[in-house]
Amino acid sequence: PPLYYVVAAVGLRAARALAGGEFALDREVLMLRLVGVAIVAPVPIWAFEAARRLGASGVAARGASAMTLGVPQLLHVSAAVRGTPLLVGIGAVLAVVLAGVMRGDERTSTAVRAGALVAGALWTTSSAVFLIPWVGLVYLYRGWSNCSWRQAIRGASMSLGVALAAGSPWWIRNWLVHGNPVPSTDSDQYATIGRPDGFSPHPWEIVDLAIRYLPSRFFGSFG
């Protein structure tokens, strides 16, 4: 999706305007990396605010803020020229909004704000689809805890409606033009890879791979 590239281009053009011209290629890449850093820099603040909205004490909220800096690869990924920093930044602001919903904020404007943030994320990267069930689960919790299902359903419908209406056009166009909502340059290659004769998947092998590879990729594979 194009949103990150638009944001990055605006940041780069602003830097060029201040400098009075283009930079050398390595400096321009550095500027693009700093755009990602600037987007992610407020994440500890958003974590603090989300914790406070959930009712945490000042000490706990400061701990939540500091914990964001301990996420492996956060600095590495955030300084890369890619859409992930914008997704992280949008997700952090969404966490603040949804924390308010969990504590009783049932205003229409809040639901619209949550939907708009999800829509922005959907225009940033395909991974943003995981934010949709997050919003739904928060409103489900709200209805269950407050026994006000009518308000919860109304809020969820408003939020997800805005998210899908504003965030889906790029995906729908891909589906119509390419036959796939998230086309990949490797799609043809993957399509030619067939199942080997006699192969049958074993669930335990998948679990074994997850146990061994997920921690190492999360904590160790910084490249």
Side-chain angles (χ1 to χ4, degrees), residues 141-162:
Y141 168 83
R142 184 63 196 156
W144 172 75
S145 63
N146 196 42
C147 297
S148 178
W149 289 106
R150 182 176 180 180
Q151 283 291 100
I153 293 173
R154 178 178 177 275
S157 300
M158 179 71 68
S159 182
L160 296 177
V162 170

Side-chain angles (χ1 to χ4, degrees), residues 29 32-34 36-37 40 74-82 85:
V29 173
L32 291 171
R33 295 179 67 185
L34 290 176
V37 172
V40 175
L74 176 63
L75 300 180
H76 163 71
V77 173
S78 301
V81 184
R82 55 185 299 172

Side-chain angles (χ1 to χ4, degrees), residues 65-119:
S65 177
M67 282 297 293
T68 62
L69 303 177
V71 176
Q73 301 198 60
L74 176 63
L75 300 180
H76 163 71
V77 173
S78 301
V81 184
R82 55 185 299 172
T84 305
L86 186 56
L87 177 65
V88 171
I90 292 174
V93 178
L94 180 61
V96 176
V97 175
L98 294 181
V101 173
M102 292 184 70
R103 295 290 286 185
D105 187 347
E106 297 178 341
R107 293 175 295 177
T108 299
S109 60
T110 300
V112 171
R113 193 176 300 118
L117 287 167
V118 174

Side-chain angles (χ1 to χ4, degrees), residues 13-35:
R13 289 178 179 177
R16 288 174 177 174
L18 291 174
E22 295 185 0
F23 299 89
L25 179 60
D26 62 327
R27 295 300 181 91
E28 298 224 325
V29 173
L30 174 61
M31 293 298 171
L32 291 171
R33 295 179 67 185
L34 290 176
V35 169

Side-chain angles (χ1 to χ4, degrees), residues 126-206:
S126 59
S127 302
V129 295
F130 295 105
L131 299 181
I132 296 174
W134 183 21
V135 173
L137 287 171
V138 166
Y139 277 101
L140 180 65
Y141 168 83
R142 184 63 196 156
W144 172 75
S145 63
N146 196 42
C147 297
S148 178
W149 289 106
R150 182 176 180 180
Q151 283 291 100
I153 293 173
R154 178 178 177 275
S157 300
M158 179 71 68
S159 182
L160 296 177
V162 170
L164 295 176
S168 62
W170 182 82
W171 300 65
I172 293 173
R173 178 191 177 277
N174 284 340
W175 209 328
L176 295 176
V177 174
H178 304 289
N180 189 325
V182 191
S184 168
T185 54
D186 297 325
S187 294
D188 293 339
Q189 175 185 349
Y190 292 145
T192 61
I193 300 176
R195 176 182 295 190
D197 293 336
F199 172 80
S200 61
H202 299 287
W204 173 244
E205 292 183 4
I206 298 174

